[in-house]
Every structure is written in C-alpha cells, then in structure tokens.
Amino acid sequence: MSPSQPLLHRVAEKDRAPVRFTIDGQPAMALEGDTVLTAILTQRAQLRRNEFSHEPRAGFCWMGACQDCWVLTDSGERLRACSTFITPGLALRTEPVDAMDFASGGQA
C-alpha cells in the first residue's frame, strides 16, 4: 500500500461538519468528532514512523493504553492521536526531527 493512500475509508456518518487541519504542512479535511488518529488515517496509510526503527506505524491499541500513536503539533505539543479530537486549524507533524525531539515532546 502506498503511504499516500488512506488506510481507513469512511462508509457512514458522512454528514458531520467538515474540519480543516494540516498534516506535515499539507491541507487535510476530517469530520467533526473524529479523533486525530482517524483524521490522519482517512488521509494516509500510516500515522507516523517509529522514532527508532523508522518503520511505519498506524496506532496499536486505539484506546490510549500504549505509546504507539503519539504525534506532534507544529508548536511541539505531543498528542495521543487515538484519544485527542481533531480541531479546526490543528497543525500536525507526523515526522519528528529525531528521536530525542519526539521523546521530549518537541522540547529538546
């Protein structure tokens, strides 16, 4: 599967209000009530790459119990994508500068 193809495809609830946000500087659209994880995976095949192995990741537990879905905002805030709701104008980064940047939540 190409990283640019969506992993998730919407089959229901298409009538919710659209929410515009960005992923790595690229404009994207989600629906009101989507989590950040859902918003990203309806746009791409992966959530991010592992900061150590660089393997693609798409979330693991989907309920906030693991550490697999962390993403950063452009301002450096670290978010758990599976339990954070998308908000208008949210600017997300899926590729941290390096492992230390990601581990510190962008505060290195």
Side-chain angles (χ1 to χ4, degrees):
M1 172 180 281
S2 165
S4 63
Q5 293 179 328
L7 181 64
L8 302 179
H9 299 277
R10 224 174 269 287
V11 296
E13 295 187 309
K14 297 180 183 183
D15 60 342
R16 291 182 280 141
V19 177
R20 296 180 194 284
F21 68 105
T22 62
I23 307 171
D24 298 325
Q26 300 297 313
M29 182 107 51
L31 295 180
E32 188 175 70
D34 282 352
T35 63
V36 168
L37 183 64
T38 299
I40 292 174
L41 293 180
T42 56
Q43 307 293 310
R44 298 180 172 189
Q46 64 190 40
L47 177 67
R48 65 179 183 92
R49 290 195 172 273
N50 179 279
E51 60 273 19
F52 302 105
S53 69
H54 304 290
E55 293 294 317
R57 306 303 301 162
F60 182 71
C61 74
W62 290 59
M63 62 181 196
C66 72
Q67 304 294 311
D68 202 51
C69 70
W70 290 109
V71 294
L72 295 173
T73 65
D74 277 354
S75 65
E77 179 185 5
R78 201 163 100 154
L79 301 176
R80 197 175 287 232
C82 71
S83 58
T84 303
F85 290 100
I86 197 75
T87 56
L90 188 59
L92 300 167
R93 263 196 321 169
T94 63
E95 298 293 333
V97 175
D98 60 33
M100 286 302 291
D101 181 46
F102 189 81
S104 66
Q107 307 301 313

